[in-house]
């Protein structure tokens, strides 16, 4: 191979002889340096390597638009490769519009190529740099059953027929729909017909599918709990539906505001309301069903953590009482891992065909291998074992969180039933105002989610009367107070600190350490305030 010095075609570019548009000479030299490793590649890979190197030099701008390239003969001699290899590379990149050429006019870098933005960002919802993250919604991903999952994957790959790797039924693989239907019937009391069960990419896609079909049926808005999951509103908005925020009382979604709203569809979390943590009363569940039957309405039941009840057996799903007016959704995001993106939707018969059609056009179905693995994992009892393992761990962590609040923030009220992956904590007024409390916590590297982030009435929806007190280590059976949609206030006006604290993703020792750090962050500031000149002791 000859050198790319001043006597070679590459070197002549480096000296500026053929560089257009005032491009600095060394930029062309740097571009040609990309070709040298390609020329040294194994013989069978050399052609593709040369094409890739030229393509990258043009795309990155290291070969500027208007630069004339050496002839195929000159470049081949300089690189020590066959002329045919260079000719083929030139022809391929001309066909792709990276280069242009004319009869007897040589080969030039095209002016139609624009450099793309470089780098890959990670937009996962994390708190970078946080010492402790108490935000809710994430399970302990270290509990994911890697060995059992890998064994199921090997078993599935050994027996899965080739035909199963084609486009799947948009509803999901039959074996997974049957396994999930049996699981939900047994554990959650759901009326689960595998023919009406649609496997989705989590509850998020289930919500979106339902939103599209409701809009196609003429609905313009859906009712959502307030306070409630912020994701519901944004997901429905993506389907063209507006949302009407409906307040809670101490039994669940308040019925009178629902009747006045005029909506014909509403989202609920009856087993363990998010975020307040209450369980809907039997009376309230019945009244919601009466509303749906009397108004040709649809209730979407988001059973996001219905399997996790620590003081008694969980209450069965609302859908089991009226499957023609309740659309049931769930997923493995809290029990296995959200990254699996596997969930399900069981809708009323009148909506099912529209949901299936929309699912088909949306993504042609979920990955077949992942579905088959989950079906095998459920059928062999692995999913039940995983639920028991998580229940033990999360019960211990809830106790650790309440105990840490008893120690470091005595008098804090912990609301809601003993269930799920989060608690609501209302701190004594001496720790307010809330804005300042959050600033102090953030300064100490502690990520928190205030209740007010979950809706316009979020800060006022948690009353004192039914809440347990962390100082006694107990939690009440209900905590929400009646609110009115649209009555929210600005963060600066919240004198009392109300937090949605997630604990499932943290070991007990880390929970206790984190609450201690949170207390330290507040104590230092409060000591400074007490010691200001002129302030009464």
């Amino acid at each position: 191979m000859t050198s790319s010095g001043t006597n070679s075609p590459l070197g002549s570019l480096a000296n500026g002889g053929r560089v257009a548009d005032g491009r600095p000479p060394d930029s062309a030299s740097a571009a040609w340096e990309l070709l040298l490793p390609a020329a040294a590649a194994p013989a069978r890979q050399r052609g593709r390597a040369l094409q890739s190197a030229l393509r990258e030099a043009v795309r990155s701008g290291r070969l500027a638009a208007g630069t004339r390239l050496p002839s195929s003969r000159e470049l081949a001699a300089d690189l020590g490769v066959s002329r045919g290899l260079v000719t083929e590379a030139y022809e391929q990149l001309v066909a792709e519009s990276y280069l242009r050429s004319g009869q007897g006019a040589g080969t030039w870098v095209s002016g139609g190529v624009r450099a793309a933005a470089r780098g890959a960002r990670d937009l996962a919802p994390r708190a970078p740099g946080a010492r402790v993250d108490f935000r809710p919604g994430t399970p302990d991903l270290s509990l994911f059953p890697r060995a059992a999952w890998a064994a199921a994957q090997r078993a599935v790959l050994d027996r899965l027929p080739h035909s199963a790797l084609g486009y799947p039924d948009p509803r999901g693989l039959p074996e997974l729909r049957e396994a999930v239907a049996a699981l939900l019937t047994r554990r959650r009391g759901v009326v689960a017909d595998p023919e009406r069960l649609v496997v989705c990419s989590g509850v998020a896609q289930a919500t979106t599918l339902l939103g599209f079909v409701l809009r196609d049926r003429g609905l313009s808005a859906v009712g959502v709990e307030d306070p409630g999951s912020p994701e519901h509103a944004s997901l429905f908005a993506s389907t063209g539906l507006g949302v009407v925020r409906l307040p809670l009382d101490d039994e669940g979604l308040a019925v009178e505001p629902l009747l006045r709203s005029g909506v014909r569809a509403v989202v609920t979390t009856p087993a363990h309301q998010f975020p307040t943590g209450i369980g809907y009363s039997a009376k309230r569940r019945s009244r919601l069903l009466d509303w749906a039957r009397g108004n040709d309405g649809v209730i979407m039941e988001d059973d996001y953590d219905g399997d996790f009840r620590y003081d008694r057996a969980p209450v069965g799903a609302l859908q089991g009482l009226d499957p023609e007016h309740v659309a049931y959704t769930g997923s493995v995001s809290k029990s296995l891992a959200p990254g699996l993106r596997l969930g399900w939707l069981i809708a009323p018969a009148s909506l099912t065909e529209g949901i299936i059609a929309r699912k088909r056009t949306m993504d042609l179905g979920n990955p077949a291998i992942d579905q088959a693995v989950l079906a095998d994992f459920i059928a062999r009892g692995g999913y039940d074992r995983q639920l028991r393992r998580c229940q033990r761990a999360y019960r211990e962590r809830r106790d650790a969180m309440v105990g840490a609040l008893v120690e470091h923030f005595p008098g804090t009220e912990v609301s809601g039933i003993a269930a799920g992956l989060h608690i609501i904590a209302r701190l004594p007024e001496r720790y307010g105002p809330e804005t300042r409390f959050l600033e102090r916590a953030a300064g100490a590297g502690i990520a928190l989610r205030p209740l007010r982030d979950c809706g316009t009435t979020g800060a006022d929806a948690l009353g004192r009367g039914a809440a347990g007190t962390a100082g006694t280590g107990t939690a009440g059976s209900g905590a929400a107070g009646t609110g009115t949609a649209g009555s929210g206030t600005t963060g600066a006006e919240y004198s009392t600190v109300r937090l949605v604290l997630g604990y499932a993703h943290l070991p007990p020792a880390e929970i206790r350490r984190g609450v201690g750090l949170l207390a330290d962050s507040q104590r230092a500031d409060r000591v400074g305030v007490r010691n200001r000149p002129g302030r009464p002791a």
Side-chain angles (χ1 to χ4, degrees), residues 13-101:
L13 279 172
N15 289 328
R18 293 187 177 122
V19 179
D21 302 328
R23 183 88 172 194
D26 60 350
S27 66
S29 177
W32 295 126
E33 289 175 2
L34 293 175
L35 306 184
L36 299 178
R44 292 187 177 182
Q45 302 174 20
R46 198 169 296 156
R48 288 191 177 184
L50 180 59
Q51 293 175 29
S52 179
L54 273 171
R55 195 179 288 114
E56 178 59 26
V58 175
R59 188 186 290 128
S60 66
R62 296 176 77 176
L63 276 179
T67 299
R68 184 174 182 177
L69 306 187
S71 69
S72 57
R73 185 187 304 278
E74 291 173 322
L75 183 56
D78 192 69
L79 294 177
V81 299
S82 70
R83 183 183 179 188
L85 203 68
V86 176
T87 300
E88 183 180 358
Y90 278 1
E91 290 175 348
Q92 180 64 29
L93 268 68
V94 167
E96 295 176 4
S97 298
Y98 285 90
L99 306 178
R100 57 183 173 85
S101 66

Side-chain angles (χ1 to χ4, degrees), residues 32 34 58 65 89 125 170 175 190 232 265 277 284 330 444 486 522:
W32 295 126
L34 293 175
V58 175
E175 57 265 40
V190 172
H232 287 149
R284 184 55 46 82
Q522 308 303 316

Side-chain angles (χ1 to χ4, degrees), residues 350-410:
S350 60
L351 302 178
T352 300
E353 289 304 318
I355 288 170
I356 296 170
R358 176 65 69 166
K359 173 68 173 173
R360 179 181 289 109
T361 59
M362 184 176 286
D363 59 17
L364 298 179
N366 288 70
I369 293 177
D370 293 344
Q371 292 187 64
V373 172
L374 179 57
D376 183 271
F377 190 69
I378 294 173
R380 292 173 180 265
Y383 192 75
D384 285 294
R385 288 190 291 274
Q386 175 69 7
L387 287 176
R388 290 193 294 271
R389 182 186 184 195
C390 291
Q391 285 170 337
R392 289 192 298 270
Y394 298 161
R395 181 190 300 113
E396 180 185 10
R397 293 169 193 201
R398 186 181 190 278
D399 291 344
M401 176 65 80
V402 173
L405 292 171
V406 169
E407 177 181 356
H408 295 287
F409 295 93

